[in-house]
């Protein structure tokens, strides 16, 4: 009974937040705003999906914002140099895969603690991206940014991309041996090893998935913003972790979901800032609120975890 | 509370034939033995050797003084970080604490707030308030880590956002620049050729040295860092030790905040996050283990000088900000790599 | 069928200088069940770990179907056709039954799992082990007995040639056990071999073709089950000669004066599903033993006393005064010391030197206003280390010391506090014979000085040699109290085993 209730908790919180904002401002509960909100949330949802995967395996990736930035920098450089949009679109996931591969190697082969490795990488990749862009904002051609307004069967492209990615991730998580083994590893890595799972390879692949998700999220954000600014992707890791954990993924590994979990979490986090925007909140409070949301998420996770641990 | 790392304990066949006697008497090449645990020192020496031909001016008195001068606030930060790392935790909130503390102290001193009575502008009181604020923030981290058993890196990461955010919120992103001249003069005075901040850092290092070696608290820090469970079973007040360790780190960050403010003559609500890399790098190069239980104050002094030296050489080479970022990140990766290897080696020894 | 499946010749294993398996030679023909019995610490689990690829033997050789068998890890063992069903369950609560059963080789189809095939095979397996559950239910919703059946199913699934069961029936109900026995007989008739390890002697006799009795790592009896009965088995399990390890202690006439309250007294201590209504007393200068099989709740009882586990009912009295808010710090102030089972996890700072470990519990006594008195502390540490005859380099980190020296440091740590009450949990596990003797004399010296000692040990002669009185524990209850005159291996084992099977 309690377990069922707790499983619905992210959804309930989402409803409560939405209800509160619609009381505060009439601009919130409109179709236009809902569409706007979902479009805004699409890149956050992809990031949160990738983060959920990493968290399911009981690891963490603090460098997602920098990976986004680095992939965007490479794409921007290619766009400006060769003026070929397909090249840029292909390059982004490749960059993501490479970043993920390196992180995976650092965590498995070199044996670093995941948060240390990815924290250092956060700075290294940001530095590498700044190097490519030379700390200047790169304005991208309209044929690239046009993707933000494109539609597929009447739905905005960003939302479609996010949905497809999340569905693919859910399939990976629920319906493949890889996903099931991640859950086992996240629950207890040593037992998983004893049960015959190649833990190192699986964790390495988890970081690949995370890298690709960063690249996809980077692509969505890039088309929406139209420029590679030096602060592109900064602090996105915080939102991703908050979204994943608010969506019900445990920080201690093994439990969680991509759909609906990560999606709800991402919408929730985006909604908070969308709502604050609409009620004309002091923009200087936003970082403060981000931090509070993460802290809230961690506390929720701790409570949830303890509740079931004593069972 | 301690971060759990689960190295796979694959049964090792080759080591299982050792008898305990053999392990106790294993001999080592003297050169290797000397280098054991001093990989950091070795790497720095190598680095200097490589870099010197490109910037020979590094050896001039002025440059050496600059290195020492820049190292002072960093040393204070690194000493704080060391205590938390020793406990098996980590404090990622450094930049947030620095921003908030410098803003709060500067606001009091420059009477930014109408509601604050006149006596709060007294510099010594404001400084004390800043230090106290840092300690309280640290203690809250310690509480979350020990009593609520939350992972230290997540708690301090979100706290970095909250504190930095609060600093921006209070000042609306403005710097506070009009600090009283006499105070700045006092803070930048030189004694025996060195800035007062250098002397402050040196005395703090001495305090840390004495604390770690000669006090009950120091013993407990080591005990909790090495094996919190054994320490608890042996009657050590683990919760209190964790809270006080984190509080020390918060206070050190606050002190560093004041030193930076005095140096820059303004209090800024945003502080570059890379300072975290410098602080952790200095601690880890100085022999502090990322998995807890090992630290030395003298080592941290060395580690800080090394980081400062590296930063100075990169400046002399005219490298851009992004190169510096990448270099510092790589230093952390390298240090963490050696730390992981050391841990794996001792785990293998344990299994045999 | 008389073809030999598994042949072990002179298999040896030692930890440090303790020999746990000594020239074990046994062969298992295919299509037979070998029952393996022995006391705690007789070497059974070591043998199972060697078969399962967790440990490598130090000597001798093992052949499986005539080929050399040296598995590098559990996976290799499983590939070679050997499966061990462990007592502890290695299942993943967030995965379904089917996924747990087939975790390392989930049937693939395109990019995903062949759900239909998985479901079909899992359902077949569940029918085989006799568990009526949907294969799609999550493990976390299952009872311990059902989980045990899943664990067994996991071993059956690969068509193993040799299946080793380690105490499979402890969490099963009677019908479930009966079904398991049916299953074992069926496997046997299909040509697989079984090694069945249990403390339940009647089960072993019913099920096994041959029974092997291990004692101190040596094969005591290996005979057809039809030639054996329970009394013979018990005698073979315990028939150990007493070695002269134990220091002689003076009997203490003034002990047990009814008027004086006991130094340590437990009244009705209870913890749900674990400890049931345990009452006992330990007087000053007395060594009281707690005997019982693995998992009978002895360690849990000590942890409850020390305040590490919560108590549901009952109280602990010191000198007749109840002590409610139990925690390590409070206990240490009241003069209690607790030597835990696992010295590396719970007792030592492995990366510190001998001195720091010795002083771990006493730094406060050797500091004034927060300042350490290092010279006084070092002197005290050296003195107690000398008293305990600590050998080995005292400057190296403790990780590199031998098990005996490490354990002496744990004793030094508590000895420095001059404890009034001493809880000992397996105080000589993994310790060589010489150090063992020295530890025994330390324990006796402490008791003679008036310490109340509560000793948990799986080595019965340790209990017999040291204790003044003994309590036997079985499934969380105290089932017998034995006075020194009544001590015998057989007595203890009879009480520790289930009474129903001893007619």
């Amino acid at each position: 009974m309690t377990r069922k209730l707790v499983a619905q908790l992210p959804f309930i919180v989402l409803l409560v937040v939405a209800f509160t904002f619609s009381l505060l401002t009439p601009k919130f509960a409109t179709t236009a705003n809902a569409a706007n909100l979902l479009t805004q949330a699409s890149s956050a949802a992809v990031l949160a999906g990738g983060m959920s995967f990493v968290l399911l395996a009981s690891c963490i990736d603090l460098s997602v914002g920098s990976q986004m930035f680095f992939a965007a920098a490479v794409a921007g450089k290619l766009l400006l140099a060769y003026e070929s949009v397909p090249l840029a679109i292909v390059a982004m996931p490749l960059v993501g895969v490479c970043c993920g591969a390196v992180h995976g190697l650092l965590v498995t082969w070199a044996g670093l603690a995941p948060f240390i490795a990815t924290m250092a990488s956060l700075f290294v990749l940001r530095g590498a991206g700044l190097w490519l862009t030379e700390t200047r904002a790169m304005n991208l051609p309209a044929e690239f940014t046009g993707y933000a307004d494109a539609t597929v069967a009447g739905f905005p492209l960003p939302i479609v991309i996010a949905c497809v990615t999340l569905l693919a991730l859910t399939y990976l998580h629920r319906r493949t041996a890889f996903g099931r083994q991640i859950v086992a590893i996240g629950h207890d890595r040593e037992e998983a090893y004893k049960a015959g799972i190649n833990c190192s390879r699986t964790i390495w692949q988890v970081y690949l998935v995370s890298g690709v998700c960063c690249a996809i999220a980077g692509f969505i954000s890039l088309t929406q913003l139209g420029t590679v600014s030096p602060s592109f992707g900064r602090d996105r890791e915080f939102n991703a972790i908050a979204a994943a954990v608010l969506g019900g993924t445990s920080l201690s590994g093994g439990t969680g979901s991509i759909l609906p979990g990560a999606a709800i979490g991402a919408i929730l986090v985006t909604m908070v800032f969308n709502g604050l925007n609409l009620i004309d909140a002091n923009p200087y409070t936003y970082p403060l609120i981000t931090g509070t949301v993460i802290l809230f998420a961690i506390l929720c996770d701790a409570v949830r975890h303890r509740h079931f641990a004593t069972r | 509370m301690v971060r759990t790392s689960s190295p796979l304990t694959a049964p090792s066949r080759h080591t299982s034939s050792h008898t305990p006697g053999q392990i106790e008497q294993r001999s080592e090449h003297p050169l290797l033995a000397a280098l054991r645990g001093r990989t950091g020192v070795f790497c720095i020496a190598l680095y200097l050797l490589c870099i010197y031909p490109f910037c020979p001016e590094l050896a001039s008195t002025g440059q050496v003084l600059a290195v020492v001068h820049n190292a002072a606030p960093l040393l204070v930060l690194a000493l704080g970080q060391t205590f938390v790392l020793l406990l098996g935790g980590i404090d990622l909130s450094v930049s947030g604490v620095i921003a908030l503390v410098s803003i709060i102290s500067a606001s009091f001193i420059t009477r930014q707030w109408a509601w604050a009575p006149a006596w709060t502008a007294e510099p010594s009181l404001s400084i004390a308030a800043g230090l106290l604020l840092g300690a309280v923030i640290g203690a809250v981290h310690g509480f979350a880590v020990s009593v609520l058993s939350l992972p230290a890196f997540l708690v301090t990461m979100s706290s970095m956002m909250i504190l930095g955010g609060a600093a921006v919120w209070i000042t609306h992103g403005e710097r506070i620049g009009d600090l009283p001249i006499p105070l700045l003069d006092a803070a930048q005075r030189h004694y025996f050729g060195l800035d007062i901040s250098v002397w402050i850092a040196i005395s703090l290092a001495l305090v840390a040295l004495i604390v770690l070696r000669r006090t009950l608290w120091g013993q407990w820090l080591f005990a909790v860092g090495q094996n919190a469970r054994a320490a608890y079973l042996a009657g050590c007040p683990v919760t209190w030790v964790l809270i006080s360790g984190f509080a020390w780190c918060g206070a050190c960050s606050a002190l560093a905040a004041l030193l930076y403010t005095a140096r820059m003559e303004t209090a800024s609500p945003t502080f570059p996050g890379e300072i975290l890399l410098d602080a952790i790098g200095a601690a880890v190069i100085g022999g502090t283990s990322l998995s807890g239980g090992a630290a030395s104050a003298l080592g941290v002094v060395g580690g800080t000088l090394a980081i400062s030296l590296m930063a100075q050489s990169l400046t002399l080479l005219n490298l851009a900000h992004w190169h510096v970022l990448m270099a510092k990140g790589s230093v952390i990766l390298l240090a963490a790599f050696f730390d992981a290897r050391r841990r794996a080696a001792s785990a293998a020894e344990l299994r045999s | 069928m008389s073809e030999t499946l598994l042949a072990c010749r002179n298999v040896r294993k030692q930890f440090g200088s303790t020999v746990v398996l000594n020239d074990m030679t046994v062969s298992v023909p295919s299509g037979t069940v070998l029952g393996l019995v022995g006391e705690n610490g007789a070497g059974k689990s070591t043998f199972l770990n060697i078969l399962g690829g967790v440990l490598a033997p130090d000597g001798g050789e093992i052949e499986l179907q005539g080929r050399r068998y040296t598995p590098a890890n559990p996976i290799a063992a499983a590939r070679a056709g050997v499966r061990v069903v462990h007592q502890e369950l290695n299942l993943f609560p967030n995965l379904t039954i089917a996924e747990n059963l087939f975790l390392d080789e989930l049937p693939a189809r395109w990019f995903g799992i062949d759900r239909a095939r998985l479901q079909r095979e899992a359902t077949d397996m569940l029918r085989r082990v006799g568990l009526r559950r949907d294969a799609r239910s999550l493990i976390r919703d299952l009872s311990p007995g059902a989980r045990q059946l899943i664990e067994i199913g996991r071993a059956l699934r690969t068509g193993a040639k040799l299946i080793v069961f380690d105490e499979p029936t402890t969490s099963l109900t009677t019908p479930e056990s009966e079904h398991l026995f049916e299953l074992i007989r069926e496997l046997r008739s299909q040509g697989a071999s079984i090694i069945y390890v249990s403390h339940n002697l009647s089960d072993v006799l019913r099920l096994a073709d041959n029974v092997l009795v291990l004692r101190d790592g040596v094969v005591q009896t290996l005979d057809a089950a039809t030639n054996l009965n329970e009394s013979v088995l018990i005698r073979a399990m315990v028939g150990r000669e007493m070695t002269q390890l134990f220091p002689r202690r003076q009997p203490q006439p003034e002990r047990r004066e009814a008027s004086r309250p006991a130094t340590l007294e437990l009244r009705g201590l209870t913890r749900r599903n674990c400890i049931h209504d345990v009452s006992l007393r330990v007087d000053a200068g007395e060594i009281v033993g707690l005997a019982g099989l693995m998992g009978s709740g002895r360690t849990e009882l000590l942890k409850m006393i020390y305040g590490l586990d919560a108590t549901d009912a009952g109280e602990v009295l010191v000198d007749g005064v109840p002590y409610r808010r139990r925690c390590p710090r409070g206990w240490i102030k009241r003069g209690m010391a607790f030597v835990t089972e696992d010295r590396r996890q719970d007792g030592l700072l492995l990366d510190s030197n001998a001195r720091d470990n010795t002083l771990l519990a006493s730094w406060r006594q050797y500091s004034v206003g927060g300042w350490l008195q290092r010279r006084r502390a070092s002197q005290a540490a050296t003195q107690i280390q000398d008293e305990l005859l600590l050998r080995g380099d005292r400057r190296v980190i403790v990780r590199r010391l031998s098990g005996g020296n490490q354990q002496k440091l744990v004793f030094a740590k508590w000895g420095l506090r001059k404890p009034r009450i001493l809880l000992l949990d397996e105080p000589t596990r993994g310790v060589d014979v010489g150090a063992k003797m020295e530890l025994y004399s330390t324990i006796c010296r402490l008791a003679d000085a008036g310490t109340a000692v509560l000793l948990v040990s799986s080595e019965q002669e340790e209990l017999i040699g040291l204790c003044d009185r003994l309590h036997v524990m079985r499934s969380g209850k105290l089932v017998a109290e034995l006075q020194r005159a009544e001590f015998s291996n057989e007595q203890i084992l009879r009480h520790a085993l289930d009474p129903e099977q001893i007619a």
Side-chain angles (χ1 to χ4, degrees), chain C residues 141-252:
Chain C
D141 300 327
L142 299 186
S143 67
R147 292 182 194 200
Q148 178 74 60
L149 292 175
I150 302 291
E151 186 78 37
I152 292 167
R154 205 146 93 167
L156 295 184
R157 149 205 128 195
T158 43
K161 296 171 212 141
L162 177 69
I163 303 174
V164 184
F165 290 100
D166 188 6
E167 293 280 359
T169 55
T170 37
S171 52
L172 297 186
T173 60
T174 316
E176 281 171 338
S177 312
E178 286 304 324
H179 189 93
L180 175 67
F181 297 159
E182 273 308 307
L183 192 69
I184 289 178
R185 291 197 189 100
E186 184 196 316
L187 286 168
R188 177 176 62 179
S189 66
Q190 287 163 359
S193 299
I194 313 284
I195 296 181
Y196 187 87
V197 182
S198 179
H199 281 301
N200 192 325
L201 300 182
S202 64
D203 281 356
V204 172
L205 286 172
R206 261 175 62 201
L207 208 60
D209 300 298
N210 298 305
V211 180
L212 170 74
V213 182
L214 264 186
R215 190 170 75 214
D216 295 336
V218 179
V219 177
Q220 284 303 315
T221 307
L222 176 55
D223 206 346
T226 42
N227 301 340
L228 297 167
N229 62 36
E230 279 156 25
S231 321
V232 176
L233 285 184
I234 290 185
R235 228 170 297 138
M237 282 160 76
V238 299
R240 229 178 306 195
E241 293 143 50
M242 289 293 273
T243 37
Q244 283 300 313
L245 280 173
F246 299 97
R248 206 170 287 274
R249 297 185 58 216
Q250 290 93 15
Q252 292 173 314

Side-chain angles (χ1 to χ4, degrees), chain B residues 249-330:
Chain B
C249 180
C252 284
S253 303
L255 181 55
L258 299 173
L259 295 183
Y260 278 121
T261 310
R263 187 163 289 185
M264 296 185 300
E265 303 188 357
T266 53
S268 159
T270 52
F271 202 87
E274 299 102 88
I275 193 68
L276 179 64
L277 286 185
D278 291 355
I280 294 179
V284 177
I285 292 176
T288 311
S289 166
L290 280 168
S291 45
S296 109
L298 284 181
V300 176
V301 174
T304 312
L305 285 175
I307 289 278
S308 174
L309 194 67
M310 195 185 88
Q312 191 69 19
S313 67
L314 294 179
T315 319
L316 284 178
L317 288 174
N318 254 330
L319 288 185
H321 168 65
W322 50 81
H323 288 126
V324 178
L325 262 191
M326 292 166 72
K328 285 179 177 168
S330 312

Side-chain angles (χ1 to χ4, degrees), chain A residues 110-112 115-116 119-120 123-124 127-128 130-131 135 190 193 238 251 282 284-285 288 290-292 295 298 302 306, chain B residues 3 9-10 92 148-150 153-154 157-158 160-162 166 168-169 172 273 277 290 322-323 326 329 333 336-337 340:
Chain A
L112 304 192
F115 83 94
I116 292 275
M119 184 194 74
F123 291 100
V124 174
L130 289 174
W131 185 17
T135 338
E190 207 163 310
Y193 172 75
F238 298 108
L251 285 166
N282 181 351
Y284 291 116
T285 57
L288 190 68
T290 312
T292 317
L295 197 61
I298 303 171
R306 198 157 312 160
Chain B
R3 294 195 311 271
T9 46
L92 306 183
L148 308 178
S149 47
L150 302 177
F153 81 96
L154 280 172
M157 195 180 77
S158 50
M160 173 185 78
M161 289 295 277
I162 294 176
V168 172
W169 179 43
H172 288 203
L277 286 185
L290 280 168
W322 50 81
H323 288 126
M326 292 166 72
L333 282 179
F337 176 69

